[in-house]
Amino acid sequence: MQFQKIFLLIAGVFGAACAPVRAATTATTLPTVSVHGTAESLPPARIKQTIDDYQRWLNRIAERHAVAGLVTALVIDDKVVFEGTVGYTDAVTKQPVTPETVFRLASLSKAFATAITGLLVDDGKLSWDTKLVDVLPYFKLKDMQAASQATVADILGQRLGLPRNTYDNMLEGDMSYEELVRKLDEVNLVCGVGQCYGYQNVAFGMIGDVVLARTGDFFYRQVDKRIFYPLGMTTASYGREALESNKSWARPHRASSHGWIPFEPSETYYRVAPAAGVNASLRDMEKWLIAQMGDRQDVLPSSLLEVLHAPGVVTPSELNATPWRRARLTNAHYALGWRVYEYGGETLIFHAGAVAGYRTMIGFFPKYHAGVVTLWNSTGPIPSGLMPMVFDDLLNLPHVDWAEIEGNAKAPAAAPQRKKLPRHRRGYRF
């Protein structure tokens, strides 16, 4: 696999990486709340109906040119029962997307960071309770008493006490990750460490520094050796250079009155690799989904999955974030790199992501070993309504057109020929 070299650490942390590794005092003190009970099978007729409906909805997406390109899969009982593709890697060249086309994963990257951390916890290299101040010489918060209590689990569980998306705007303004993590002590905390939810990208990136300090190896190499390679994720990688080295990779697109316009991928969130640095194809993500549902015990054992998927801090804002969430969710928490919802009375493990020109979603019901992954390379929210439509079918809930594709909206015009565009750097908020 090809990897762009990512140097996440300031000099002080690199020095810590060269020091002898101290043994973790405990393997884990995080509670494991079982979300992987006895599996139940979905009726075959319902699965068939879901597949038929999903193909029909994807056809509507294609007819409306609602995406530049999209790939999706439905996995049930650890088997891929459906793959769907719509559109192009590039709206100008018209190269079709395929299940092997590589996309940026955006925040779906976070689950790889928590998984590798969990494997290192199992190895005794660190603990979920490892204090950041004991590993990262630069780490400070405005309240140093709070900083002294902050742990690995706090940054991975999005409960460090910082305001939501701290310094994302400065990261998008080309300030380096190394500068930004040194400035965390300038930010007023909104709650005590561990006491409330505050989604982060910059602070989440510190897990890469922790991994280097405790293993002497770069974070992305650990993920490659311990996760990508054994799962057979042959196109998975970190960094823009690795993305663009693939034979088929999805260019990001923005909407215009003339159709979808491709632009150059932004470097911004690759600089916080643990939070948003992974590239992968649909075929890779099918393997990842199967592993997360417990069918690759040799790589991700159930004991670890129980920890990663256990509900942590409550996330009440999620209950009102979109129409489908308002209608279907009755409970929402953040776990470790995953969201845990109660969807129509069933536990749903879920995450979404967005960087400039890319959107991603993944979710599964542990009870039924049934999940969906969807990747697309354009702005616009329409495809995000597809996944809850599939979920509703699987659970036999009343049909709702969450994607708003069943009316008679006019399709946009065809995309124009490529022209040089200004650098697009806007926004990552998932």
Side-chain angles (χ1 to χ4, degrees), residues 116-133:
I116 192 61
T117 303
L119 292 173
L120 293 172
V121 168
D122 288 350
D123 290 347
K125 297 291 187 181
L126 69 156
S127 163
W128 298 112
D129 283 343
T130 295
K131 299 290 196 299
L132 300 181
V133 293

Side-chain angles (χ1 to χ4, degrees), residues 4 31 35 74 98 101 142 161 175 289 291 297 317 342 379 393 416:
Q4 181 185 27
V35 294
L74 174 60
T98 75
T101 298
K142 200 163 191 177
M175 187 172 288
L289 184 53
Q297 293 291 306
S317 60
E342 187 175 346
T379 55
D393 259 20

Side-chain angles (χ1 to χ4, degrees), residues 30-102:
L30 289 184
T32 58
V33 180
S34 180
V35 294
H36 295 267
T38 303
E40 295 185 15
S41 296
L42 293 168
R46 192 187 303 170
I47 295 171
K48 181 180 184 304
Q49 184 63 56
T50 300
I51 292 170
D52 292 343
D53 287 342
Y54 200 10
Q55 184 60 70
R56 177 167 51 83
W57 298 329
L58 290 174
N59 291 343
R60 296 303 296 270
I61 290 283
E63 290 166 4
R64 291 173 176 232
H65 304 285
V67 292
L70 177 148
V71 295
T72 187
L74 174 60
V75 178
I76 297 179
D77 291 332
D78 306 317
K79 295 180 178 61
V80 179
V81 299
F82 175 78
E83 285 181 340
T85 65
V86 173
Y88 308 103
T89 65
D90 186 320
V92 172
T93 66
K94 304 294 187 184
Q95 180 187 18
V97 294
T98 75
E100 298 290 351
T101 298
V102 177

Side-chain angles (χ1 to χ4, degrees), residues 342-403:
E342 187 175 346
Y343 185 107
E346 301 286 357
T347 298
L348 171 67
I349 312 298
F350 177 87
H351 216 287
V355 292
Y358 298 91
R359 298 285 297 272
T360 58
M361 295 175 71
I362 189 171
F364 65 94
F365 296 100
K367 180 178 177 179
Y368 301 108
H369 279 222
V372 184
V373 58
T374 307
L375 317 172
W376 65 103
N377 61 331
S378 50
T379 55
I382 287 177
S384 63
L386 289 172
M387 190 171 287
M389 292 167 72
V390 176
F391 292 159
D392 287 355
D393 259 20
L394 291 173
L395 298 182
N396 201 30
L397 297 174
H399 172 68
V400 178
D401 180 17
W402 301 118

Side-chain angles (χ1 to χ4, degrees), residues 199-421:
Y199 193 84
Q200 308 297 324
N201 291 302
V202 173
F204 191 98
M206 291 189 294
I207 192 60
D209 301 351
V210 172
V211 168
L212 175 54
R214 282 300 175 91
T215 68
D217 195 9
F218 284 109
F219 165 84
Y220 69 88
R221 289 176 180 162
Q222 285 287 314
V223 176
D224 185 39
K225 289 186 292 187
R226 302 291 297 274
I227 297 175
F228 293 163
Y229 179 76
L231 289 181
M233 298 177 66
T234 57
T235 63
S237 63
Y238 280 87
R240 178 177 172 179
E241 182 180 338
L243 171 73
E244 296 178 351
S245 70
N246 287 279
K247 181 179 179 180
S248 176
W249 65 277
R251 278 72 173 170
H253 292 73
R254 64 176 176 85
S256 78
S257 59
H258 302 291
W260 295 110
I261 299 178
F263 58 89
E264 294 301 314
S266 168
E267 193 72 39
T268 300
Y269 285 92
Y270 280 131
R271 298 203 298 268
V272 283
V278 179
N279 315 301
S281 67
L282 180 67
R283 291 277 166 80
D284 288 334
M285 294 304 289
E286 293 164 356
K287 296 169 184 175
W288 178 238
L289 184 53
I290 288 168
Q292 287 292 327
M293 289 193 287
D295 196 46
R296 286 300 306 270
Q297 293 291 306
D298 57 318
V299 181
L300 297 179
S302 292
S303 57
L304 173 56
L305 295 175
E306 290 286 357
V307 174
L308 298 179
H309 299 159
V313 65
V314 295
T315 58
S317 60
E318 287 292 298
L319 299 177
N320 299 300
T322 60
W324 66 264
R325 286 176 173 87
R326 287 193 292 272
R328 295 290 186 242
L329 303 190
T330 53
N331 224 326
H333 293 76
Y334 203 87
L336 295 173
W338 291 95
R339 298 187 184 279
V340 183
Y341 294 152
E342 187 175 346
Y343 185 107
E346 301 286 357
T347 298
L348 171 67
I349 312 298
F350 177 87
H351 216 287
V355 292
Y358 298 91
R359 298 285 297 272
T360 58
M361 295 175 71
I362 189 171
F364 65 94
F365 296 100
K367 180 178 177 179
Y368 301 108
H369 279 222
V372 184
V373 58
T374 307
L375 317 172
W376 65 103
N377 61 331
S378 50
T379 55
I382 287 177
S384 63
L386 289 172
M387 190 171 287
M389 292 167 72
V390 176
F391 292 159
D392 287 355
D393 259 20
L394 291 173
L395 298 182
N396 201 30
L397 297 174
H399 172 68
V400 178
D401 180 17
W402 301 118
E404 299 183 351
I405 55 173
E406 295 181 339
N408 296 308
K410 183 180 178 181
Q417 293 300 305
R418 185 191 299 273
K419 61 181 180 180
K420 188 174 182 179
L421 298 168

